[in-house]
Amino acid sequence: MRNLFTGDFGKRLSGPEFLNDKEILYVERETTGSERIRIFNLESGKSEPWHQGLESVQGVRKTSAGVLVTAADQNIRNAFLLKSHEPPQPVTNTLTEITDADLDSQTNEILISELSAQGHRLRTLPFQTFRPPQLNPIQLAAPPVIKKS
């Protein structure tokens, strides 16, 4: 057994996942509670930040489409697809919680563990990214000014 990497005191390292033959993705939880993805290079023995677009990441999973993670950056944990140098793409839109996600590349469906009124359940969803519609601001005329006499 050999030690690959030791994190700083008070930081948790979790969810290691091979990105390729030379690199491992993992989540580092800071003492502030922030959970971010880091990449460890097996050849150099160095670790550095990877895809810093989310701050509450868990469940790193490499898939054929990219890296799936769950994150609660908008206060509800949902699944996101990450690709290098691209913003995170939401692939679920639940009002409860997604704890884990994986992609079935044969059926092009996402397998998720989702909290429901009956407890956690396993579900499959068609693989797609969610893009909220762009809303134009409402243009209203200013209210009339009433002068007192």
Side-chain angles (χ1 to χ4, degrees):
M1 181 181 342
R2 68 183 175 129
N3 187 26
L4 297 176
F5 180 74
T6 302
D8 294 336
F9 182 76
K11 294 184 179 180
R12 182 184 71 206
L13 311 178
S14 62
E17 179 84 6
F18 276 95
L19 184 61
N20 54 46
D21 291 344
K22 298 175 184 166
E23 297 173 308
I24 300 171
L25 295 176
Y26 67 94
V27 175
E28 180 181 74
R29 182 180 175 97
E30 302 278 337
T31 55
T32 61
S34 176
E35 296 172 296
R36 294 193 174 129
I37 300 176
R38 295 186 63 89
I39 188 164
F40 176 75
N41 186 299
L42 290 165
E43 291 179 343
S44 69
K46 300 206 187 267
S47 175
E48 61 186 36
W50 187 84
H51 212 292
Q52 297 300 294
L54 299 170
E55 294 192 16
S56 63
V57 176
Q58 294 178 359
V60 176
R61 175 77 83 184
K62 180 187 172 194
T63 71
S64 59
V67 175
L68 277 176
V69 299
T70 63
D73 286 41
Q74 288 84 27
N75 298 322
I76 296 175
R77 186 161 295 282
N78 270 290
F80 293 83
L81 180 68
L82 304 179
K83 295 180 182 180
S84 293
H85 311 295
E86 291 184 21
Q89 299 174 349
V91 293
T92 62
N93 188 21
T94 188
L95 296 175
T96 56
E97 177 186 53
I98 304 292
T99 56
D100 292 291
D102 199 0
L103 175 66
D104 183 342
S105 58
Q106 292 181 346
T107 63
N108 206 35
E109 291 181 322
I110 296 178
L111 172 65
I112 59 169
S113 173
E114 180 181 37
L115 180 61
S116 71
Q118 293 78 36
H120 278 90
R121 61 184 175 182
L122 296 178
R123 294 184 58 202
T124 59
L125 303 169
F127 176 60
Q128 63 183 4
T129 57
F130 289 90
R131 298 198 195 322
Q134 294 294 323
L135 301 176
N136 295 323
I138 298 173
Q139 302 292 326
L140 297 175
V145 176
I146 301 174
K147 294 183 181 181
K148 293 184 181 180
S149 323

